[in-house]
């Protein structure tokens, strides 16, 4: 992060009620735009303009000078994103929005400005698309909470079509908590309303944010920071009878509870909370699961013989009995492999041996590793 952005982070941390009203200088700074150019991956697919990094780099100084001038006078207009689809691993496809190369530069710069302001505010429960945080860290935190915090009930949740249904009106209200620079907010608004081009047909953007945009992750984190993270930490968890913890990675999250009543109440109140901001849970990916040392020790036979779905796209968490009680670990996996993230794309020959005696928690329940998980 550049020195100027670091100063903004320092100010945001020390003055939590400060609202920033002069940020456009950071956005149209030619050196900042050059840094964004250097960060781009030249192998990325082009957007609607068909321009790649190598082509944009021809006459780079003139291009960046022109881009900076257009941003400064508000003459910059983002192009529609090119929509394509990528397989999700379960037979379905995920829509992906590919911005034009120049829009990537502006989005990258916007993302870094917003990250600098909100990073000190983001809660410890949030692990997605943040510096120094990852899916591995989220899963380690899940293991830590279940092992050390007396967890007996787990709520796994997913927001239905989150990136497609984010409300622009609510998002602008959240951004206004820290930003009063109307010109910067106007640029963000233009990105959100730039539209989508798919198979030659243009579609206007009235809600949501395209997956694939460089500014989408931080905008989504800001949205869920106010909708979910702060609500859970400041209001819901404080009203629980037992201990309660939230772990979120982007729009997927797990809530761990000591008391069944708290877990069941969370399912109800979470649904109501999301509805207030035009969101809803995905029923097929949301479940209440009893999982902890006491139920496992009392009735281990209850979980035997149940095989996890090989098509499950959810992170896998496993547990096994040890001298200290129930011992937990976690690995991101699609095929049931307990080894590492390198097994997402293909199964390992030695998975079964490494996973012997371990138990998985999946949307379908708690299950023991068998040979079928590696087929």
């Amino acid at each position: 992060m550049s020195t100027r952005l670091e100063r903004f982070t320092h100010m945001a941390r020390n003055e939590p009620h400060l609202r920033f009203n002069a940020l456009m200088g950071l956005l149209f700074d030619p050196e900042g735009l050059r840094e964004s150019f250097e960060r781009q991956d030249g192998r990325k697919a082009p957007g609607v303009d068909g321009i790649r990094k190598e082509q944009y780099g021809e006459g780079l100084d003139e291009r960046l000078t022109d881009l900076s001038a257009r941003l400064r006078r508000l003459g910059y207009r983002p192009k529609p994103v090119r929509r394509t689809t990528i397989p999700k691993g379960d037979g379905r496809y995920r829509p992906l929005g590919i911005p034009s190369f120049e829009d990537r530069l502006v989005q990258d710069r916007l993302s870094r400005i917003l990250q600098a302001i909100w990073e000190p505010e983001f809660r410890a429960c949030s692990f997605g698309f943040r510096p120094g945080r990852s899916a591995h860290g989220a899963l380690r935190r899940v293991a830590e909470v279940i092992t050390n915090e007396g967890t007996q009930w787990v709520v796994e949740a997913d927001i239905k079509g989150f990136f497609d249904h984010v409300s622009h009106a609510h998002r602008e209200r959240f951004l206004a908590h820290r930003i009063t620079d109307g010109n910067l907010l106007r640029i963000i608004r233009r990105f959100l309303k730039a539209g989508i081009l798919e198979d030659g047909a243009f579609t206007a953007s009235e809600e949501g944010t395209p997956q694939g945009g460089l500014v989408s992750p931080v905008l989504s984190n800001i949205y869920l920071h106010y909708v979910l993270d702060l609500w859970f930490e400041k209001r819901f968890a404080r009203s629980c009878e037992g201990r309660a913890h939230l772990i979120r990675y982007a729009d997927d999250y797990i809530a761990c509870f000591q008391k069944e009543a708290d877990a069941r109440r969370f399912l109800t109140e979470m649904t109501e909370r999301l509805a207030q901001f035009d969101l809803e849970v995905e029923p097929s990916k949301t479940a209440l699961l009893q999982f902890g040392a006491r139920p496992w020790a009392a009735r281990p036979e209850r979980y035997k013989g149940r095989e996890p779905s090989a098509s499950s796209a959810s992170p896998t968490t496993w547990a096994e009995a040890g001298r200290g009680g129930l011992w937990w670990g976690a690995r991101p996996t699609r095929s049931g492999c307990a080894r590492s993230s390198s097994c997402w794309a293909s199964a390992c020959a030695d998975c079964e041996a490494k996973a012997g005696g371990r138990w998985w928690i999946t949307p379908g329940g708690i299950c023991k590793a068998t040979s079928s998980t590696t087929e």
Side-chain angles (χ1 to χ4, degrees):
M1 187 178 293
S2 69
T3 303
R4 292 183 68 188
L5 291 176
E6 288 174 351
R7 286 203 297 268
F8 274 85
T9 299
H10 182 75
M11 292 170 61
R13 178 178 293 110
N14 292 335
E15 302 180 59
H17 300 294
L18 178 66
R19 302 171 77 191
F20 297 88
N21 59 8
L23 297 172
M24 282 298 291
L26 283 173
L27 182 61
F28 63 67
D29 174 29
E31 288 306 310
L33 293 171
R34 184 180 297 275
E35 291 175 8
S36 293
F37 172 83
E38 297 297 338
R39 278 192 295 273
Q40 301 309 304
D41 185 349
R43 299 168 297 178
K44 294 288 187 180
V48 296
D49 58 356
I51 296 177
R52 296 178 181 268
K53 181 176 183 178
E54 182 179 0
Q55 296 168 283
Y56 195 89
E58 299 172 0
L60 181 62
D61 290 343
E62 292 78 9
R63 287 181 184 271
L64 293 182
T65 298
D66 175 65
L67 175 59
S68 174
R70 281 184 283 130
L71 285 167
R72 187 167 191 167
R73 67 172 184 267
L74 296 181
Y76 168 78
R77 295 279 179 178
K79 294 179 174 60
V81 298
R82 180 172 68 86
R83 172 167 283 179
T84 185
T85 56
I86 57 174
K88 297 178 66 173
D90 58 359
R92 295 180 298 165
Y93 288 85
R94 182 190 306 277
L96 188 67
I98 302 176
S100 67
F101 188 82
E102 189 169 75
D103 290 344
R104 287 180 190 271
L105 305 187
V106 180
Q107 285 197 39
D108 180 81
R109 194 64 184 161
L110 272 174
S111 174
R112 291 173 68 80
I113 293 170
L114 296 176
Q115 193 78 47
I117 294 172
W118 264 276
E119 181 59 30
E121 275 200 48
F122 287 153
R123 315 316 292 174
C125 66
S126 172
F127 286 85
F129 310 109
R130 294 181 58 191
R133 288 173 169 252
S134 65
H136 289 275
L139 288 169
R140 281 193 295 269
R141 178 57 179 161
V142 171
E144 177 184 301
V145 167
I146 295 179
T147 302
N148 302 325
E149 298 295 334
T151 296
Q152 304 300 324
W153 294 86
V154 175
V155 175
E156 181 187 23
D158 180 88
I159 299 175
K160 184 176 183 179
F162 172 71
F163 286 91
D164 295 328
H165 297 108
V166 167
S167 163
H168 291 180
H170 288 309
R171 180 173 311 196
E172 289 193 19
R173 183 160 57 88
F174 295 149
L175 290 172
H177 284 306
R178 299 306 304 265
I179 296 177
T180 57
D181 187 331
N183 289 335
L184 188 88
L185 294 174
R186 185 180 303 177
I187 295 292
I188 295 174
R189 194 178 304 121
R190 287 178 181 177
F191 269 115
L192 297 177
K193 296 184 177 295
I196 298 166
L197 195 64
E198 184 175 15
D199 297 329
F202 175 81
T203 304
S205 306
E206 299 300 330
E207 62 178 357
T209 179
Q211 286 184 264
L214 277 68
V215 75
S216 295
V218 66
L219 287 175
S220 300
N221 268 341
I222 291 171
Y223 200 93
L224 290 177
H225 168 73
Y226 293 107
V227 172
L228 190 64
D229 300 352
L230 281 178
W231 168 77
F232 186 91
E233 180 181 312
K234 303 293 186 182
R235 187 181 305 174
F236 187 85
R238 292 181 179 181
S239 67
C240 289
E241 296 180 8
R243 282 172 281 186
H245 298 273
L246 178 72
I247 302 97
R248 179 176 66 81
Y249 188 92
D251 59 327
D252 295 304
Y253 52 96
I254 290 176
C256 301
F257 298 94
Q258 189 177 24
K259 302 290 186 181
E260 178 182 0
D262 293 331
R264 294 192 179 279
R265 183 168 61 89
F266 174 72
L267 272 175
T268 301
E269 295 190 17
M270 169 190 66
T271 302
E272 296 171 352
R273 174 70 177 179
L274 293 178
Q276 293 175 18
F277 299 93
D278 303 324
L279 299 172
E280 59 180 309
V281 296
E282 173 55 63
S284 65
K285 297 181 181 179
T286 301
L288 172 63
L289 305 167
Q290 186 179 16
F291 198 79
R294 279 177 287 179
W296 192 90
R299 297 184 61 188
E301 73 282 355
R302 176 181 178 183
Y303 308 117
K304 290 182 179 178
R306 296 173 62 186
E307 300 176 1
S309 168
S311 63
S312 173
S314 301
T316 293
T317 305
W318 48 257
E320 65 182 14
R323 287 180 298 178
L326 195 67
W327 184 59
W328 273 76
R331 299 289 187 273
T333 174
R334 291 189 185 276
S335 63
C337 168
R339 192 172 69 176
S340 70
S341 59
S342 64
C343 301
W344 275 36
S346 61
C348 301
D350 61 343
C351 277
E352 186 178 359
K354 290 181 177 291
R358 291 173 181 169
W359 301 73
W360 272 265
I361 180 171
T362 75
I366 303 165
C367 20
K368 189 178 187 298
T370 70
S371 59
S372 65
T373 63
T374 60
E375 292 177 354

